[in-house]
Amino acid sequence: MTVHNREIAEQFSHLADLLEIEGADAYRVRAYRQAAQTIAGLSESLADRAAAGEDLSALPHIGESLAEKIRTICETGHLPQLEEAEERLPAALSDLLEISGLGPKRVKALHQDLHIDNLQDLKQAVAEHRVRELSGFGAKSEQALADKLAQWQGPAERLPLIEAEEIARPLVHSLRGLDGVDQVTIAGSFRRRKETVGDLDILVTAAEGTSVMERFTGYDEVSEVVSQGETRATVLLRAGLQVDLRLVPAAAYGAALHYFTGAKAHNIAVRRLGVQRDLKINEYGVFHGDERVGGRTEQEVYDAVDLPFIEPELREDRGEIEAAQEDRLPALIGLDDIRGDLHAHTKASDGHDSLRQMAEAAAERGYAYLAITDHSQHVTVAHGLDPQRMAAQIDAVDALNEELDGRIRVLKAVELDILADGSLDLPDDVLERLDLCVCAVHHKLDLPRQKQTERILRALDSQHCHILAHPRGRLIGKRAGYELDLERVMRAAAERGCALEVNAQPKRLDLDDSDCRLAKELGVRIAISTDAHSQGNLDYMRFGVDQARRGWLTADDVINTRGLDDLLALLRH
DNA sequence: GCCGTTTTCGGCCCGACTGTTTTCAGTCG
């Protein structure tokens, strides 16, 4: 039984909540939260690392004390300090912190004075108008709580980035359409291209007296104005998404953009560097005493603390500040570096478009090559190809390449099922005729960790396995992915020269950002592929590139930045 | 509880908005 990083992070996070309600030292609480964040963002299994006797205190925000606690959790599954806290306070009290407007102080008051232990107790107390009697609360807060509790459906779900884009587009358009509005920029995790977005942070610069706030709070899709001031407003959209708007003067645009892009931990780290230089950095600029010394651009903010510009995708306080100080920031891959797509389907299996349509669409995007990777026979629901149909498709691709006359090269390929025992779903004599094999797991997702790992390792042993597709098998918000020792798979892939895929489907993004970073560390090559099931899906490439950038990858780390000849040479190895 | 170009102690980012107050605490980002 391996303890997941996620479970360790949750225990620290829960402990932080309970300690905060108890009124513990705020910095101690923050230390637990930062540690939880570090752990949640790791791809390598801490349980494996701990078992191997590695020094966990080398990790950011993990010191001796927390390293010891991690070891305890890995060995026993429990954190004694959390269990002790749960004896002092009801464990469900931390649920109350999820309600916006309730922080640690008010939750403590609710518990101590009204004996509220959980959300149910709170509902009852609100219904009986007992909350308004409490010092610090009033009729208005009680009513606000009543409204929020009535709509409460658990912690707000984060939206996949692509859905956030669709919601943001018309809103941004509406704001830009207003006279006097200069810049409208979406910052926050959206700009950092995080795979999911919890809210939208919109930054606006405008001429004085422009009615931006009115336009914003009056937007059609707004279901509730949460707060509204001179320079800042928060609304909820009907889609359930929270949107914050910040109005700043043009001279502060860079400082505001930096502040509003976050991540919070990155901002704190940058501001700390400012403090060391006797500078104050806030959303209005960089200040030396009362004198404003920068802030029109983000570059000025970084200049002030002697750092090179740090790309938004890297701003997570995951070592980018240190890397910037040591001048070893990666030159991140860009969409323009991509020369072709190595995973796409046609009507032959479960795609919507023909071979020719897919090839034409890829050529229009300026690609040098497109691998057609229809499913193999085991995936019957997707009408997977058996040896005969595969042979027919190989011939069809050869014929099409002749007709295309070098405009683009279609690669003969397959998305080949890895069977439960790790064998491959088509015989060698068929596979030998292909340019490329993309191997993937589509069934028996519930094998135990060791079996699943060995299954994939066996598949990697085949000389035909060029790329391991969607290695974790997760679906964002739906499925966690199968149990797997990914680090072991990566080491094996590195040895065999097999690439791992970043599947760019917005609901997969698999590998994810931190997996990419681990892959790079271990010397694993990456393929960024769309897994397109239609021509339009080829545009998902940018979502894959986003995650690769978040994972510190350069063009050199990614095989489909190579030209056709280099790629083919690489695949032959 | 972490961490170090003020290093093993004593710091730890900074400001807007709301509601309940009567000058500010709490919450949020």
Side-chain angles (χ1 to χ4, degrees), chain A residues 500-520:
Chain A
L500 261 53
E501 180 183 82
V502 171
N503 189 294
Q505 291 277 328
K507 295 217 167 161
R508 284 196 184 267
L509 301 178
D510 172 11
L511 303 175
D512 71 15
D513 51 0
S514 37
D515 297 337
C516 284
R517 197 141 170 221
L518 181 60
K520 184 186 175 107

Side-chain angles (χ1 to χ4, degrees), chain A residues 425-446:
Chain A
D425 190 30
L426 286 172
D428 281 354
D429 61 324
V430 178
L431 300 182
E432 270 153 23
R433 294 187 61 199
L434 297 173
D435 297 309
L436 174 73
C437 249
V438 176
C439 295
V441 165
H442 290 112
H443 67 291
K444 287 271 184 193
L445 306 181
D446 58 352

Side-chain angles (χ1 to χ4, degrees), chain A residues 31 64 124 133 149 199 243 358 470:
Chain A
E64 263 316 304
Q124 199 175 337
E133 306 302 334
L149 287 167
D199 61 10
V243 188
M358 292 302 288
H470 41 76

Side-chain angles (χ1 to χ4, degrees), chain A residues 56 58 85 88 102 104 121 178 223 229 298 305 314 324 347 353 359 365-366 405 467-468 504 516 531 542 550:
Chain A
L56 303 178
R88 299 190 298 267
L102 286 187
D121 292 351
L178 191 62
S223 64
E298 284 190 314
V305 292
L314 299 179
K347 283 198 276 199
D353 294 324
R365 284 159 179 79
D405 197 26
I467 298 172
L468 178 65
C516 284
D531 197 356
R542 62 194 180 85
R550 288 180 54 81

